[in-house]
Amino acid sequence: REALAEAETRMVRALVRIINQRDPFAAEQSAQASRLAEELAEEMGLPPEEVRAANQAALLIDLGKIAIPRDLLTKKSALTAEELQFMRRAIRQGVELVDNAGLPSVVYKTLRQLADRLGAEKRPVDLAEDELLMATKVAAIAHHFVALASKRVYREGFSLEDALRMVREDSDLKHDDAVVSALSHLYYSRGGRERWHLG
């Protein structure tokens, strides 16, 4: 079992290296989101398999970048509505790359839900809130927070304070209140403000 888990970890890391080569500007962001998702899942007391699912889903969610032209990934201005739709479709389609890769079912289900949620062209997504795994909700907020706090080709990253405020106020993704509260607690009371260095 340990050997299989190690092989799975190596496969995930190899896939992420491929993604990072496509979009070197955002190379560290998936790793940062993955670490934050794991910390957040542990803070919420999720079972180990869901902690791992949140971690790996946040790490693999950008697989679809493999199909996105490099000039679009590194565009120096904000995306148009059409380009944003293209990127969201790529997020959803990227999950198919690991459809039969042997990931644990909870990891794959989390990744699929996360892709549907972040890749939805019209939000909120059709999936009922109570059908979402908590690991999915955790990975979604970690991904969103890190994306806001990270530098992009076309903008500087927002401060952690501003990123947290924007996550709280977002009416588009409609993050779970319990996860938002856990993120705030990590930031203000568990050393996140001092420890986290994003961007």
Side-chain angles (χ1 to χ4, degrees):
R1 184 177 301 176
E2 289 180 4
L4 286 172
E6 179 58 30
E8 174 194 323
T9 299
R10 287 198 300 270
M11 180 196 72
V12 168
R13 288 174 180 167
L15 288 169
V16 172
R17 282 197 297 272
I18 294 171
I19 299 168
N20 291 345
Q21 288 172 3
R22 297 282 298 155
D23 187 9
F25 197 85
E28 183 60 18
Q29 291 173 29
S30 58
Q32 290 172 335
S34 176
R35 289 192 294 269
L36 178 57
E38 181 173 352
E39 186 176 356
L40 189 53
E42 289 176 342
E43 175 68 22
M44 297 187 70
L46 299 191
E49 61 272 17
E50 288 199 50
V51 173
R52 186 176 188 182
N55 172 288
Q56 295 200 350
L59 192 62
L60 290 172
I61 190 58
D62 287 332
L63 274 174
K65 286 182 177 180
I66 292 172
I68 297 172
R70 190 181 178 90
D71 60 345
L72 183 55
L73 289 173
T74 57
K75 184 180 176 183
K76 294 185 178 180
S77 58
L79 298 178
T80 66
E82 292 77 16
E83 289 168 340
L84 185 57
Q85 283 192 349
F86 179 82
M87 296 279 272
R88 287 176 171 170
R89 283 196 299 272
I91 287 174
R92 296 196 309 273
Q93 293 166 355
V95 181
E96 297 171 9
L97 296 173
V98 291
D99 189 5
N100 295 304
L103 290 173
S105 59
V106 66
V107 174
Y108 183 75
K109 183 175 181 180
T110 301
L111 182 60
R112 168 61 69 188
Q113 289 186 351
L114 183 62
D116 288 344
R117 188 168 178 78
L118 297 181
E121 294 176 22
K122 294 182 179 179
R123 297 171 175 168
V125 294
D126 291 336
L127 194 63
E129 190 68 19
D130 59 0
E131 294 178 45
L132 286 172
L133 295 174
M134 187 57 73
T136 303
K137 298 175 183 181
V138 166
I141 204 169
H143 184 278
H144 189 191
F145 179 73
V146 170
L148 288 169
S150 298
K151 185 176 181 180
R152 292 286 194 253
V153 178
Y154 57 88
R155 66 156 172 83
E156 294 297 318
F158 294 101
S159 70
L160 295 182
E161 295 276 352
D162 284 342
L164 185 55
R165 175 184 53 79
M166 294 165 78
V167 165
R168 284 196 195 112
E169 295 174 355
D170 190 286
S171 60
D172 195 17
L173 280 172
K174 299 185 182 301
H175 290 300
D176 185 282
D177 289 342
V179 186
V180 174
S181 295
L183 179 65
S184 297
H185 181 69
L186 274 176
Y187 181 71
Y188 288 111
S189 303
R190 302 275 281 173
R193 179 161 40 188
E194 294 75 31
R195 289 185 291 102
W196 296 343
H197 301 285
L198 307 179

